[in-house]
Amino acid sequence: MALEEKREKRPPVTPMMIEEEAALRNGSRGLPPGPWAEATGPRPRTTERHIAVHKRLVLGFAVSILALLAVTMIAVMLSVRFEECGTAADGSPRAGGNGSLPGAARQPPGAGQPPGRPEEEEATQGGEAAAEEEEEEEEWQRRRELPPWARPRLPRHLRPLHYNLMLSAFMENFTFSGEVNVQLEVRNASRYIVLHAHRMHIEAVRVAEDKLAGGVRVARSFLYPQTQVFVVVLNRSLEVQRSYNLKIIFNALIENELLGFFRSSYVLHGERRFLGVTQFSPTHARKAFPCFDEPIYKATFKISIKHQATYLSLSNMPVETSVFEEDGWVTDHFSQTPLMSTYYLAWAVCNFTYRETVTKSGVVVRLYARPDAIRRGSGDYALNITRRLIEFYEDYFKVPYSLPKLDLLAVPKHPYAAMENWGLSVFVEQRILLDPSISSISYLLDVTMVIVHELCHQWFGDLVTPVWWEDVWLKEGFAHYFEFVGTDYLYPGWNMEKQRFLTDVLHEVMLLDGLASSHPVSQEVQQATDIDRVFDWIAYKKGAALIRMLANFMGHSVFQMGLQDYLTIHKYGNAARNDLWNTLSKALKKVGKSVNIQEVMDQWTLQMGYPVITILGNETTDNVIVITQERFVYNSDTKPKDSALGDNSYLWQIPLTIAVGNTSHISSEAIIWVSNKSEHHRIPALEEAGWLLGNINQTGYFRVNYDTRNWRLLINQLTRNHEVISVSNRAGLIDDAFNLARAGYLPQNIPLEIIRYLSEEKDFLPWHAASRALYPLDKLLDRTEHYNIFNEYILRQVATMYLKLGWPTNNLNKSLVQASYQHEELRREVIMLACSFGNKHCHQQAATLISDWISSNRNRIPLNVRDIVYCTGVSLMDEDVWEFIWMKFHSTTAVSEKKILLEALTCSDDRNLLNRLLNLSLNSEVVLDQDAIDVIIHVARNPHGRDLAWKFFREKWKILNARYGEALFMNSKLVSGVTEFLNTETELRELKNFIKSYEGGAAASFSRAVETVEANVRWQKLYKEELFQWLRKSLTH
């Protein structure tokens, strides 16, 4: 009902508004009432003498006018030539300027010319405007205040209530024009209107009261690029608790990049086709229309899009009406949205086709994609699981999906895997299109989890939005956690939340968060340039890990009840972390438990890093253990100290679950809350021959270390009867041991002794944990003189299981989703290790399968190991195989196949081919923009190409930074991927020298890179020889 009332509250049309509308549309100067208006009225008759004088004056005036016209024409001609030169040189509007925009004035046939700009309302230009701005800024400086347009956040004196946005998209020259009418509520009196606008040309601006009183005179207006805002300076202050209408007419380019309103393309039947799509998160709506581009400013939106009839348009809401014109243009008017933030507003103009389904509650779900992909059924899997997942979330959260429809849009080019725009979620093709005949289980899993993630955002993020970006983890952490919960709903036997979460989230983010240069999950964000750095794996994966820990110590049913209350209370609004903590604390109280969730969780969200718990046996007192906590860091030389906290720096309240066991039995778990640096606890069931196990099933976000005796007992238990310890804890022991050794907390031999039991391990998860833990160690050693010793040791551990499992048969005719998911993933993991470390049979099998494909032109390689076979074949075989894979990469239209073929090309041992590939990666016609980064990173992971990728990165940094600098994740992913395995003093020196000389962007990423390489160099100095000595000794026994 309240929503219906909001929809009816439109600004009433007044006579003054009609007159000003006409003035704006006709390009004339609207004359306000007053002396100048009176001067245009009839005058009394003059005398004869006056007429004679007037004749002479008129003659002189006419001569002057003719001379002035001649000078003006010359000036205009020179100006046009200058503009043409400027356009040819640049081809884009000057950022932040109000100059002419090439091509932006183009209109559909019969639509007339672009609107003129009334002189008293046009955006001021030139020296006069600059002088006024400078004078005004000086006035603010005298007051020792920043002017409202120079502040990092928008001033709070205005609140948008509703946007009426009308767009015209010109796909033939990639420009668009628009008109936005914003209904504003005044909270504090001010003569300034400040809102976001960036990289656009403002044609006209008008302010009118939402009453019969009429317009408010605009003194001047200007763009302020430093803070990406547009400023309207009024002749008088806006009055408190009054409503006003702000109207802005603008135009801009449909950019050939990845953010704002940008263009993409694909080839169908040999013809290149174009589409326009938006990516506004976190701060890019301002590139598409002037708006209050901060998440707190929720408003309703009414969007209309005019486009050629050969295209269709999409937005967050369904089309209400479409108006067709005789000249081949159509305008789609979309229904009004509920209250929402700008960053998940969206639209697209494309010529895609779709398939649809409907949920039990009547939500229409459509998947739009290239016509050939729809025809092949490549979107059917995504469409079907989306319907089921909406029903799952509606049941889990007890809050209905809020919109009448949800469109899934598969686009060829996009900066991220996907974006959760409310009602119009956009996916890069590789993360939503799936051809069952050529897609592996791991590819299906990727597609599934991206869709689960984005659908969760329809509740966490869209329905309830973080107040500000410092709590972005509130939406991203939940969406990442529910990737595993939602996938468990679709495939109950896969145990994603209990098992795969550990290797894919917990273990991975602990690598990053173990650096001294890490940051808290919630971190202060002041300005637009700070926002990008909060979108990283700390927000996503650590956020998810903390949510999982919270769900486990609260109990899943109580946790679920708390989430239902949180969403119900805050729907269509904004919430901060304390709102969540308060709601969850109340949920615990309802079941008779009293835990101050905020007090516990503030330590985990406001401090960076995580603890390592050390459990020591007490030699003097039976059944008593000593538990200590300290911050875990890989390089203790860089370990920071928070002086403000003194000796209590980096303390956490830790829900430590603990169990004791012996050769045949493990006890039920008990929970100990550890909140001090060191504590003594009595464990009654602890026997002399028994062992201790902490962090049961790795539900906590911390590592556990033990004394040497307990490690020995655990290793013996794994060797004699590993199944006494749960699958999750076996994986956890492997990961903790490798990382504790890498950081110097443990001797180097302990993790290598633990994995000796793997020859008897039949579960996928411990193998997956071992494979992931061995990978960074392998990269530390793969260019060393004695690498073959390490290589031989790993092959010995893998050989038994490799022979036992064998290779999969070709399953082209079988269902993609096999009941034996765990078995097939285990087999894939073992084959990957065997081929990577040089098992001769594995190499022969891969070469045979590749040769058969080349000779028969029929790909009989089993789906689940194709990427392994392609990479191994390219690595072992000659240049002809590389060229064959390159040809297949260009010819295939299946996005899953294209991805693994491109990655396989990076596996070559031929440095010339790797260099060729690196150079081709920056050609957008050959390699999609979002895939170029993966090419460079995969070459860097290849020991034959690591130095080539590092050199290429440095030489092309300006190009790479210009292309990816504004896109979340992309620069940090690139910097990390290219540098994480550099490990020599020379490479460290090169990195530091490069950072001193480079220009712009990614400062936090480079800081992490330096720390990582320093830790790699330190490990080589301190522990490499110790490791090789133990390996030599072990291999001789």
Side-chain angles (χ1 to χ4, degrees):
M1 186 66 183
L3 184 60
E4 299 251 332
E5 288 172 3
K6 285 181 187 294
R7 287 178 178 172
E8 292 303 315
K9 289 180 182 176
R10 301 284 177 78
V13 178
T14 67
M16 182 68 175
M17 288 169 68
I18 292 169
E19 287 172 15
E20 290 187 3
E21 178 78 23
L24 283 167
R25 287 294 177 197
N26 295 330
S28 65
R29 181 179 178 183
L31 293 172
W36 285 107
E38 290 168 8
T40 62
R43 297 171 184 272
R45 289 177 63 181
T46 59
T47 64
E48 294 292 323
R49 187 169 62 82
H50 286 158
I51 290 170
V53 171
H54 284 175
K55 282 181 178 178
R56 288 195 297 274
L57 288 171
V58 166
L59 185 61
F61 186 64
V63 172
S64 301
I65 290 294
L66 286 170
L68 184 61
L69 282 170
V71 171
T72 302
M73 288 178 68
I74 293 167
V76 167
M77 290 172 68
L78 289 171
S79 172
V80 168
R81 292 184 65 83
F82 177 79
E83 278 291 339
E84 287 172 353
C85 293
T87 303
D90 188 6
S92 64
R94 294 183 294 277
N98 271 349
S100 167
L101 180 69
R106 189 151 175 196
Q107 300 288 312
Q113 294 304 308
R117 294 180 294 178
E119 289 177 24
E120 80 268 26
E121 293 177 345
E122 71 180 353
T124 54
Q125 299 178 46
E128 185 183 336
E132 286 182 30
E133 287 174 38
E134 195 174 320
E135 187 179 321
E136 199 144 11
E137 288 201 33
E138 285 175 5
E139 171 60 27
W140 283 97
Q141 285 173 7
R142 281 193 292 273
R143 292 160 59 176
R144 296 189 177 180
E145 285 183 65
L146 278 174
W149 55 86
R151 296 169 194 169
R153 298 279 297 273
L154 292 179
R156 293 286 179 260
H157 62 274
L158 295 175
R159 182 168 76 96
L161 301 176
H162 176 77
Y163 293 80
N164 203 336
L165 177 60
M166 293 161 280
L167 299 165
S168 296
F170 311 113
M171 296 302 294
E172 74 279 10
N173 66 355
F174 306 122
T175 64
F176 69 102
S177 62
E179 177 185 304
V180 64
N181 288 273
V182 191
Q183 186 184 348
L184 299 173
E185 178 185 79
V186 181
R187 291 173 165 178
N188 300 104
S190 175
R191 56 187 287 259
Y192 301 105
I193 297 175
V194 183
L195 71 165
H196 289 108
H198 188 45
R199 290 167 65 173
M200 63 177 59
H201 171 53
I202 304 296
E203 289 281 345
V205 59
R206 188 205 64 195
V207 179
E209 268 198 73
D210 198 11
K211 302 289 178 188
L212 293 174
V216 180
R217 188 74 59 82
V218 175
R220 64 193 183 88
S221 58
F222 59 92
L223 287 161
Y224 191 74
Q226 295 91 322
T227 50
Q228 302 179 357
V229 295
F230 178 59
V231 184
V232 182
V233 185
L234 304 170
N235 273 2
R236 65 175 175 85
S237 289
L238 301 176
E239 296 177 38
V240 179
Q241 295 183 338
R242 300 287 284 272
S243 185
Y244 294 83
N245 183 272
L246 169 67
K247 177 177 182 174
I248 301 173
I249 297 172
F250 62 95
N251 53 50
L253 296 174
I254 302 173
E255 299 279 7
N256 185 24
E257 52 174 49
L258 296 165
L259 301 165
F261 185 20
F262 67 94
R263 66 184 185 264
S264 181
S265 68
Y266 62 98
V267 175
L268 185 68
H269 308 311
E271 174 195 356
R272 183 162 292 280
R273 296 187 175 187
F274 290 91
L275 62 141
V277 66
T278 60
Q279 171 57 41
F280 290 163
S281 178
T283 58
H284 304 289
R286 63 195 65 177
K287 293 178 180 174
F289 68 108
C291 58
F292 293 77
D293 199 13
E294 293 179 7
I296 194 68
Y297 289 114
K298 287 200 167 187
T300 54
F301 292 81
K302 190 82 170 65
I303 294 179
S304 301
I305 300 176
K306 186 172 189 173
H307 56 85
Q308 290 160 301
T310 50
Y311 290 86
L312 60 86
S313 68
L314 302 169
S315 189
N316 304 78
M317 298 296 285
V319 173
E320 216 169 41
T321 57
S322 293
V323 179
F324 291 85
E325 299 175 12
E326 292 181 2
D327 53 21
W329 287 74
V330 60
T331 302
D332 294 323
H333 299 279
F334 295 89
S335 300
Q336 182 171 300
T337 71
L339 284 169
M340 62 183 292
S341 305
T342 51
Y343 79 83
Y344 50 94
L345 192 72
W347 62 79
V349 177
C350 59
N351 41 27
F352 285 174
T353 53
Y354 69 89
R355 289 192 182 174
E356 81 171 35
T357 185
V358 183
T359 70
K360 291 175 186 174
S361 59
V363 178
V364 177
V365 183
R366 288 180 175 177
L367 187 141
Y368 287 84
R370 291 179 281 114
D372 54 327
I374 292 294
R375 195 164 49 249
R376 282 202 309 267
S378 299
D380 291 357
Y381 172 77
L383 188 65
N384 291 330
I385 68 166
T386 297
R387 174 180 50 79
R388 292 177 60 198
L389 286 166
I390 290 175
E391 293 165 357
F392 162 71
Y393 282 127
E394 288 184 322
D395 180 62
Y396 187 99
F397 295 137
K398 301 302 181 206
V399 176
Y401 176 74
S402 304
L403 305 183
K405 62 95 174 175
L406 174 60
D407 294 332
L408 311 175
L409 180 65
V411 297
K413 182 174 84 170
H414 197 264
Y416 316 120
M419 175 61 204
E420 71 268 15
N421 309 310
W422 211 2
L424 177 57
S425 291
V426 181
F427 298 75
V428 71
E429 288 179 337
Q430 293 173 358
R431 290 294 185 267
I432 193 167
L433 299 182
L434 182 147
D435 188 335
S437 66
I438 51 172
S439 297
S440 64
I441 295 175
S442 57
Y443 184 81
L444 174 136
L445 187 59
D446 283 349
V447 168
T448 302
M449 296 183 80
V450 170
I451 294 169
V452 177
H453 180 108
E454 301 310 323
L455 290 185
C456 180
H457 274 315
Q458 305 294 307
W459 283 264
F460 280 91
D462 295 354
L463 184 64
V464 179
T465 309
V467 170
W468 182 235
W469 298 110
E470 64 191 10
D471 281 332
V472 70
W473 72 272
L474 271 181
K475 72 183 188 77
E476 297 301 347
F478 271 102
H480 207 56
Y481 172 66
F482 272 96
E483 285 181 31
F484 297 82
V485 177
T487 305
D488 275 339
Y489 166 76
L490 295 171
Y491 303 107
W494 288 15
N495 290 321
M496 297 297 293
E497 191 269 342
K498 286 184 170 60
Q499 294 188 15
R500 193 69 182 255
F501 186 95
L502 303 185
T503 51
D504 293 13
V505 179
L506 186 68
H507 298 172
E508 189 170 321
V509 75
M510 281 181 149
L511 288 169
L512 184 61
D513 206 21
L515 298 174
S517 55
S518 184
H519 62 80
V521 162
S522 291
Q523 55 177 329
E524 193 173 349
V525 175
Q526 288 291 347
Q527 52 201 16
T529 51
D530 294 333
I531 292 168
D532 291 355
R533 65 181 169 82
V534 304
F535 282 85
D536 63 4
W537 285 140
I538 299 293
Y540 283 65
K541 292 180 182 284
K542 183 176 180 177
L546 295 181
I547 289 163
R548 179 173 177 264
M549 180 172 73
L550 182 59
N552 276 280
F553 78 69
M554 283 183 67
H556 283 272
S557 59
V558 182
F559 176 72
Q560 182 180 352
M561 182 174 66
L563 295 188
Q564 291 168 359
D565 292 343
Y566 171 79
L567 289 170
T568 302
I569 293 165
H570 299 287
K571 62 184 176 183
Y572 303 111
N574 299 82
R577 60 181 177 274
N578 286 349
D579 296 313
L580 177 64
W581 305 150
N582 292 338
T583 308
L584 294 178
S585 292
K586 288 174 184 174
L588 278 172
K589 277 186 182 175
K590 288 179 184 177
V591 296
K593 295 179 182 178
S594 182
V595 178
N596 187 329
I597 297 292
Q598 181 180 338
E599 187 180 305
V600 174
M601 295 306 295
D602 274 356
Q603 293 180 321
W604 294 95
T605 59
L606 302 180
Q607 290 185 126
M608 69 173 84
Y610 57 87
V612 53
I613 284 278
T614 302
I615 303 175
L616 304 170
N618 192 321
E619 295 179 3
T620 58
T621 312
D622 290 341
N623 298 336
V624 172
I625 57 171
V626 179
I627 302 175
T628 65
Q629 64 161 300
E630 63 176 300
R631 186 187 171 193
F632 177 92
V633 286
Y634 284 102
N635 186 350
S636 58
D637 295 342
T638 61
K639 192 171 184 178
K641 191 78 170 177
D642 190 337
S643 57
L645 296 172
D647 292 337
N648 293 320
S649 61
Y650 294 104
L651 270 180
W652 290 266
Q653 290 190 51
I654 303 167
L656 173 64
T657 48
I658 200 163
V660 296
N662 55 35
T663 52
S664 59
H665 173 74
I666 187 169
S667 71
S668 56
E669 66 185 70
I671 187 167
I672 298 170
W673 281 91
V674 180
S675 54
N676 299 304
K677 282 284 184 188
S678 180
E679 299 181 4
H680 289 70
H681 290 273
R682 182 174 293 278
I683 310 293
L686 190 58
E687 303 169 9
E688 190 171 328
W691 40 261
L692 276 165
L693 192 62
N695 197 12
I696 305 305
N697 295 322
Q698 280 209 299
T699 56
Y701 185 69
F702 49 89
R703 297 197 186 280
V704 182
N705 194 9
Y706 308 95
D707 54 39
T708 304
R709 176 180 173 277
N710 201 70
W711 276 114
R712 287 281 162 216
L713 289 169
L714 288 169
I715 290 169
N716 290 339
Q717 182 65 56
L718 289 171
T719 306
R720 294 170 67 178
N721 183 7
H722 61 269
E723 291 183 351
V724 170
I725 299 171
S726 72
V727 172
S728 299
N729 274 118
R730 298 199 298 268
L733 283 169
I734 291 168
D735 186 71
D736 275 351
F738 271 97
N739 285 282
L740 288 165
R742 185 178 169 188
Y745 291 88
L746 269 184
Q748 299 302 304
N749 59 296
I750 294 290
L752 293 172
E753 288 189 52
I754 285 177
I755 63 170
R756 279 175 165 168
Y757 95 94
L758 284 176
S759 57
E760 300 300 320
E761 178 61 80
K762 297 173 185 175
D763 280 291
F764 161 69
L765 191 71
W767 274 101
H768 194 46
S771 177
R772 281 176 172 259
L774 284 167
Y775 186 76
L777 183 58
D778 176 64
K779 297 304 170 193
L780 282 171
L781 300 172
D782 64 6
R783 294 181 296 170
T784 59
E785 185 182 354
H786 303 296
Y787 174 69
N788 63 307
I789 301 172
F790 172 72
N791 198 72
E792 187 181 343
Y793 181 83
I794 301 304
L795 280 177
R796 285 193 186 183
Q797 314 315 312
V798 174
T800 303
M801 191 57 68
Y802 173 75
L803 290 172
K804 195 179 292 185
L805 293 171
W807 279 66
T809 54
N810 195 318
N811 54 0
L812 290 180
N813 297 319
K814 292 184 181 178
S815 168
L816 180 63
V817 184
Q818 303 168 35
S820 56
Y821 157 77
Q822 296 278 357
H823 179 76
E824 288 304 314
E825 285 294 89
L826 171 61
R827 186 187 348 230
R828 169 187 161 77
E829 199 73 53
V830 171
I831 289 172
M832 184 172 67
L833 284 167
C835 277
S836 297
F837 284 95
N839 179 286
K840 288 180 181 177
H841 179 272
C842 194
H843 282 183
Q844 288 168 358
Q845 183 72 7
T848 300
L849 288 167
I850 288 278
S851 298
D852 174 68
W853 183 20
I854 293 171
S855 61
S856 67
N857 204 29
R858 285 192 61 206
N859 192 342
R860 300 185 182 93
I861 302 169
L863 298 176
N864 222 33
V865 293
R866 278 192 177 179
D867 57 337
I868 302 169
V869 171
Y870 293 173
C871 181
T872 306
V874 166
S875 172
L876 294 173
M877 302 167 81
D878 60 21
E879 188 176 338
D880 290 343
V881 173
W882 195 94
E883 295 290 355
F884 176 78
I885 297 292
W886 177 250
M887 180 262 294
K888 290 295 183 184
F889 164 71
H890 281 286
S891 62
T892 186
T893 56
V895 291
S896 59
E897 187 74 355
K898 215 171 185 69
K899 179 177 183 288
I900 61 173
L901 286 164
L902 182 60
E903 289 178 1
L905 293 166
T906 69
C907 299
S908 176
D909 290 358
D910 187 325
R911 291 168 63 84
N912 291 326
L913 291 174
L914 293 176
N915 255 331
R916 177 180 158 194
L917 184 62
L918 285 169
N919 287 311
L920 285 166
S921 70
L922 292 184
N923 183 340
S924 299
E925 296 296 314
V926 178
V927 177
L928 290 170
D929 287 354
Q930 70 263 17
D931 294 338
I933 286 178
D934 290 328
V935 169
I936 300 166
I937 289 173
H938 278 81
V939 172
R941 290 173 179 171
N942 180 341
H944 300 282
R946 192 163 306 151
D947 63 315
L948 299 178
W950 173 223
K951 183 171 180 283
F952 180 81
F953 170 85
R954 285 174 288 161
E955 289 175 352
K956 306 295 183 184
W957 169 249
K958 285 187 179 178
I959 297 170
L960 295 165
N961 192 43
R963 184 189 282 192
Y964 304 116
E966 282 193 283
L968 306 175
F969 281 123
M970 285 199 158
N971 254 2
S972 59
K973 177 183 175 183
L974 178 61
V975 171
S976 170
V978 170
T979 61
E980 65 182 328
F981 300 123
L982 303 178
N983 54 38
T984 67
E985 292 278 10
T986 301
E987 288 167 338
L988 177 59
R989 194 162 50 250
E990 287 172 348
L991 174 60
K992 289 180 176 179
N993 289 338
F994 172 71
I995 293 170
K996 286 177 186 173
S997 63
Y998 86 99
E999 293 177 10
S1005 301
F1006 280 119
S1007 177
R1008 284 195 296 272
V1010 169
E1011 187 185 345
T1012 301
V1013 178
E1014 283 176 343
N1016 292 346
V1017 171
R1018 177 175 176 269
W1019 186 90
Q1020 295 271 359
K1021 286 179 182 175
L1022 296 178
Y1023 304 120
K1024 182 181 72 174
E1025 202 46 49
E1026 176 192 333
L1027 178 74
F1028 280 134
Q1029 283 178 9
W1030 184 86
L1031 286 169
R1032 289 187 194 97
K1033 186 177 177 183
S1034 175
L1035 288 170
T1036 56
H1037 283 74

